Amino acid sequence: MLRPRPLLVALSCAVTCMLAAGGCTTSQPAQLEPTGSSTADVAPAPSPTESLLPADQPTGSAVGTLAPDFPATLLPLPEGATVLVSSAVPVPDSDLVDVSLNLRTSQSTKQLLSAVRKPLLAAGFTETEPADKEPDLAAQASFTRDDGKERVILGILDLDDVRTLTLSGRVDPDVP
C-alpha cells in the first residue's frame, strides 16, 4: 500500500489554495467613486415650503389648559384635575362644537365620574350604556341630548392611584 508523502500533501494543498485565491483577485484597482456607467439617484433633502398647520387658522386645541371656546359650563374641570390636552372646534353650519378633553386627577373613579355626570344630567343629557365596553377601563359612560344630535362619551383609566379621563363629543355650548 502506498502512503502519500507529507511533503507532497502539503505542496498539493498549497497549490490548491493559490489557485482558488487567484480566482478571487483582479488586476484592476478598487473603485471608490461611481463610474460613468453607474447611476446615482440622490436628491438633496427637500426644504420645507409650507407649514403643516396653517398659521392663519386656529386649531382649537390647547395643551395643559382648556382650549379657547371649550364649553366649561357644560363640562367643568373637576376639582384638582390637571388638563393634559383639550380641544373645541366649531362644527361648520351648526351651533355645535366638537370637544375633547384628557385630564389626570387623584380623585377616585366614582368622584370623577360624578363630577362629569352631574352637570350633563342637569343640562338635560341622558346617560346611556356605552355600546362597546372596554375591559381595561375603570369606568365608561355615554350621554346624549336632542335625540342624539349631541353626545358625550368618556372613559376613565385607573393606574397607580391616578385616574386619567378621556372625553369626546359634540355639544351645543349655548344650551344650558
Side-chain angles (χ1 to χ4, degrees):
M1 178 168 123
L2 291 174
R3 289 200 301 222
R5 296 185 180 173
L7 180 59
L8 287 176
V9 172
L11 187 57
S12 175
C13 287
V15 169
T16 303
C17 288
M18 287 175 54
L19 290 174
C24 296
T25 62
T26 179
S27 61
Q28 295 180 349
Q31 291 182 343
L32 300 177
E33 296 295 321
T35 64
S37 64
S38 61
T39 60
D41 190 20
V42 177
S47 59
T49 56
E50 65 182 61
S51 170
L52 293 176
L53 296 173
D56 60 341
Q57 291 182 336
T59 62
S61 298
V63 176
T65 188
L66 291 178
D69 301 323
F70 189 88
T73 304
L74 182 62
L75 299 165
L77 191 59
E79 188 172 325
T82 301
V83 175
L84 302 173
V85 66
S86 66
S87 71
V89 179
V91 176
D93 302 321
S94 76
D95 295 331
L96 302 175
V97 175
D98 283 332
V99 295
S100 69
L101 174 65
N102 290 307
L103 60 84
R104 187 171 293 139
T105 183
S106 60
Q107 286 187 14
S108 72
T109 300
K110 185 177 179 179
Q111 290 171 321
L112 184 55
L113 185 56
S114 178
V116 176
R117 177 188 282 140
K118 282 181 183 179
L120 287 170
L121 294 177
F125 278 81
T126 303
E127 187 170 0
T128 58
E129 281 293 314
D132 295 317
K133 292 262 186 177
E134 292 293 328
D136 293 334
L137 294 178
Q140 287 180 262
S142 298
F143 300 89
T144 59
R145 179 169 74 174
D146 195 13
D147 293 326
K149 181 178 158 186
E150 297 176 80
R151 63 192 174 280
V152 175
I153 299 169
L154 67 91
I156 300 172
L157 181 65
D158 188 354
L159 288 174
D160 300 327
D161 296 328
V162 175
R163 260 65 51 215
T164 303
L165 175 128
T166 299
L167 173 148
S168 64
R170 182 171 279 187
V171 297
D172 184 342
D174 298 325
V175 175

